[in-house]
Amino acid sequence: MRDTEPFDLKLAKQCARAFSAACGVGCVVSDAAGAVHYEAGHGCASCQICRAAGRAPDVCVQAHVYGMSESARFGGKYIYFCPMGLTCFTSPILGDDTVCAKLTVGPFLMVDHQDYIACDLTEQLHLSGERLDAVTAALDDVPYIPAERVSEMSNLLFMAAGFLNNVSDAERMLQIQSSDQIQGQVTACIQQLKLSDELTPYSFDTEQSLLRAVRQANREQAQKLLNNLLGHVLFSSGGELSVIKTRIYELLVLISRAAIEAGANPEQTLRDNQRYLTEINRITDFDALFLWLTRVMNSLMDSIFRFKGLRHANVIHQSVQYISTHYAERLTLEDMAQRVYLSPAYFSRVFKQETGETFTAYLNRVRIDHSRALLRRKDLRLVDIALMVGFEDQSYFTKVFKKVVGISPLRYREGKKK
């Protein structure tokens, strides 16, 4: 721990200790890099779940740093899942220049311990044997909090963190980042256009390439293509500020739509678009416009690319949780993608990357796992079991069961009788 801190560590400790004692859950004070400065109660620093599961501790640290970033972006509070599917929430602590630390509450469960073991540990993380036993034992220290209390507790933490922050400090969360590099690239593009013998028309192909790069999470390529388009807009506008602002806002709307497909929060992105329209209409000179655009684009790019893997982990966790409780219903890839605000193609790719299975294969495996227990009941017909676990007919159920288990449902049932 450092001798001097860019925030009031003593007061932060008091906040964490009071919150933990009042709410019965761990609260940790950590810096922007994730280093723990103080822990009250059983918080993430004491949690043994990741270690028991054989997970690297730095993955958990990155998840909490991601939570801090999102809490700053979404107004000072954020509820999220850790890599092991436990729930946490956080609020930022502000220093002289930026977010420098955070209060993090958790881990805790919002579902019954047995449901967590069956769904998250067994079905999603595929733990078994000694590791499953070790994680289950470590769960004794993890409290259960009803979902309706979590939101109110998050509000309470936000107010506690707000006590540590000055209003002027809170405004710094919205200050712009350095624009030197981006401005240099745009200027270089303008110089190339000036040297051209003919006026180069606006490239809609470049625009489509930009949107494709955003959807594919290729930040470097997206920024390069965006700078080229900005250079053309500034050069071809004839110096008319109103024209430049209109074209820039058009680009922002297109990029926002692609950002949502790539995993940006849809409600927040749409709210930001409305705010951008108000802000850009107030700008009266080129310098202010460029500085504003730099801040907006950095914020938008961060919403897409920063901690992309962890954001996907949250999406997959939500999907897996939904499947575990709705497997008997009619579930399609399109329906599931819509629930997590991703395009079907992108959701399909992310789901396969995170789980190692296609959405259909995963759903079928969950259904088959539940059907095994039902096959032990002699009073249930195969056709009834098929319908109870979500298959529309017995023949398809039999086909999938044999593919997953290796034998037919009837042979499986007969074997269980012996």
Side-chain angles (χ1 to χ4, degrees):
M1 187 181 297
R2 295 173 298 221
D3 295 332
T4 59
E5 305 295 339
F7 64 99
D8 191 331
L9 179 58
K10 181 178 180 181
L11 189 57
K13 288 181 177 180
Q14 291 175 344
C15 278
R17 186 164 54 248
F19 191 95
S20 177
C23 298
V25 67
C27 188
V28 171
V29 180
S30 54
D31 62 25
V36 174
H37 291 241
Y38 178 74
E39 180 184 52
H42 184 79
C44 291
S46 299
C47 180
Q48 298 297 315
I49 301 294
C50 284
R51 295 178 182 85
R55 296 294 184 93
D58 61 335
V59 176
C60 195
V61 171
Q62 190 183 15
H64 298 311
V65 174
Y66 163 68
M68 180 186 73
S69 172
E70 295 295 89
S71 68
R73 190 162 69 91
F74 291 123
K77 57 182 180 178
Y78 188 65
I79 302 171
Y80 60 99
F81 294 109
C82 80
M84 291 300 298
L86 301 173
T87 311
C88 300
F89 56 85
T90 186
S91 287
I93 300 173
L94 306 169
D96 294 333
D97 299 313
T98 184
V99 176
C100 64
K102 63 184 181 297
L103 293 170
T104 302
V105 171
F108 56 88
L109 286 168
M110 290 195 296
V111 297
D112 180 82
H113 280 64
Q114 291 304 316
D115 289 341
Y116 171 74
I117 293 170
C119 177
D120 290 73
L121 299 184
T122 305
E123 291 186 9
Q124 183 181 359
L125 298 176
H126 308 301
L127 295 184
S128 60
E130 293 182 357
R131 281 193 171 168
L132 178 61
D133 292 340
V135 174
T136 301
L139 280 176
D140 291 341
D141 296 319
V142 178
Y144 163 78
I145 300 177
E148 59 270 17
R149 283 187 59 204
V150 173
S151 179
E152 296 303 329
M153 289 171 64
S154 177
N155 289 334
L156 185 61
L157 185 73
F158 168 72
M159 289 185 279
F163 179 72
L164 300 172
N165 302 327
N166 295 322
V167 175
S168 59
D169 288 331
E171 291 298 321
R172 291 195 191 100
M173 285 197 292
L174 302 177
Q175 288 182 349
I176 61 172
Q177 302 178 25
S178 173
S179 63
D180 292 344
Q181 182 179 6
I182 296 176
Q183 188 169 6
Q185 292 172 348
V186 173
T187 301
C189 177
I190 293 175
Q191 292 300 323
Q192 289 181 349
L193 291 171
K194 287 181 177 179
L195 296 174
S196 177
D197 295 332
E198 298 180 357
L199 179 62
T200 305
Y202 181 83
S203 175
F204 288 97
D205 288 340
T206 301
E207 183 181 277
Q208 290 302 311
S209 296
L210 165 62
L211 301 180
R212 187 162 51 250
V214 170
R215 294 187 189 99
Q216 295 173 351
N218 188 337
R219 180 170 190 157
E220 182 178 355
Q221 180 70 2
Q223 190 68 68
K224 179 180 178 181
L225 293 167
L226 174 63
N227 292 339
N228 287 337
L229 290 175
L230 290 177
H232 191 283
V233 168
L234 294 174
F235 178 73
S236 62
S237 64
E240 294 187 27
L241 186 61
S242 61
V243 174
I244 294 173
K245 291 196 294 185
T246 299
R247 299 295 298 279
I248 285 176
Y249 185 71
E250 289 174 353
L251 268 177
L252 286 177
V253 171
L254 290 173
I255 292 171
S256 295
R257 293 295 190 271
I260 291 173
E261 292 186 38
N265 183 281
E267 292 89 353
Q268 183 65 38
T269 302
L270 294 176
R271 285 196 295 268
D272 287 344
N273 278 346
Q274 186 61 43
R275 177 166 55 83
Y276 296 155
L277 180 60
T278 301
E279 291 176 351
I280 200 170
N281 285 331
R282 294 173 180 169
I283 295 174
T284 58
D285 62 78
F286 288 102
D287 287 341
L289 176 63
F290 205 93
L291 289 173
W292 173 84
L293 181 61
T294 301
R295 173 177 64 81
V296 167
M297 291 313 304
N298 275 316
S299 176
L300 188 56
M301 290 294 184
D302 279 347
S303 75
I304 306 166
F305 300 105
R306 195 178 184 194
F307 305 107
K308 177 173 172 284
L310 289 169
R311 185 179 297 112
H312 287 165
N314 267 346
V315 166
I316 299 306
H317 182 85
Q318 294 174 35
S319 302
V320 168
Q321 290 276 42
Y322 188 84
I323 291 171
S324 71
T325 55
H326 296 81
Y327 63 88
E329 301 172 12
R330 184 180 181 275
L331 289 181
T332 67
L333 174 68
E334 290 73 19
D335 292 338
M336 199 69 250
Q338 186 177 18
R339 290 192 66 84
V340 295
Y341 304 104
L342 296 179
S343 69
Y346 189 75
F347 173 74
S348 178
R349 183 166 67 252
V350 169
F351 194 94
K352 178 70 179 293
Q353 290 173 349
E354 295 291 329
T355 66
E357 297 178 280
T358 66
F359 171 80
T360 301
Y362 183 89
L363 176 59
N364 283 340
R365 183 170 58 78
V366 170
R367 287 171 167 170
I368 295 303
D369 286 345
H370 283 279
S371 74
R372 294 188 190 194
L374 295 173
L375 284 168
R376 297 188 181 99
R377 293 180 52 181
K378 301 177 183 179
D379 59 315
L380 293 177
R381 300 178 303 168
L382 292 185
V383 64
D384 295 326
I385 293 174
L387 294 174
M388 290 171 68
V389 297
F391 291 101
E392 295 182 356
D393 60 73
Q394 180 183 335
S395 61
Y396 184 59
F397 164 63
T398 300
K399 179 180 179 181
V400 174
F401 191 98
K402 189 172 183 180
K403 181 178 180 181
V404 173
V405 182
I407 57 175
S408 69
L410 185 58
R411 286 191 59 193
Y412 182 86
R413 169 177 270 179
E414 291 172 347
K416 287 297 177 182
K417 290 180 181 179
K418 297 176 182 179

